[in-house]
Amino acid sequence: MLNKLLTIIVVSFITGSVLSATQEKSNLDEEFRSLDGRVQMLKKEVLEINRDLYVLEEELLFPANTQLAVFISVDVGDFFDLDSVQLKLDDKVVANYLYTKREVDALHRGGVQQLYIGNVTKGEHELVAVFVGKGPNGRDYRRAADMVIEKGLGAKYLELKITDRTIKKQPEFVIKEWQ
């Protein structure tokens, strides 16, 4: 009888320990899921804060009333294979870019690349873009396009456009102001 009573007490103790361990594991799983959810929420908040900081930084570094942005595009491009572009603003080099084959292919497919963004004071400025590449018949080609721009209030957007002049079988380099 004492053996039975001792056996019942031991079995009850083991059963209680197993149930307690199961409940603790269940509680730990819930806490882990809760912690994982909180970590995911924190990640999302950090990404949102990072995006907001980037926008704020852009607004502070390049305020709209002094901003000048220059983009480059290629229309057709049968007569010119672009290698590099140098951009000068008021006789000061502000951008140099050497293109890879992949980047040139993207431009040929209609891509537009931001070549320069910066601050410019109100008034008249001279912009010169020097294009280097291979021209008709595989000859080395170096051409410049220039434009005097009047910077007023508000942002100014310019496009360096490389087009083909089929009549002359030559590339044409144009600086165009976006409205």
Side-chain angles (χ1 to χ4, degrees), residues 99-135:
Y99 289 89
T100 65
K101 180 72 175 148
R102 190 173 182 185
E103 291 169 326
V104 172
D105 289 342
L107 288 171
H108 281 279
R109 289 192 311 269
V112 176
Q113 180 210 1
Q114 180 179 306
L115 186 62
Y116 171 76
I117 186 169
N119 296 319
V120 182
T121 59
K122 187 177 173 183
E124 202 172 85
H125 301 278
E126 182 184 23
L127 182 77
V128 178
V130 180
F131 302 88
V132 177
K134 296 285 183 189

Side-chain angles (χ1 to χ4, degrees), residues 86-91 126-130 144-147 175:
Q86 182 182 69
L87 190 64
K88 293 181 182 180
L89 185 62
D90 297 327
D91 290 326
E126 182 184 23
L127 182 77
V128 178
V130 180
D146 65 332
M147 178 183 198
I175 302 175

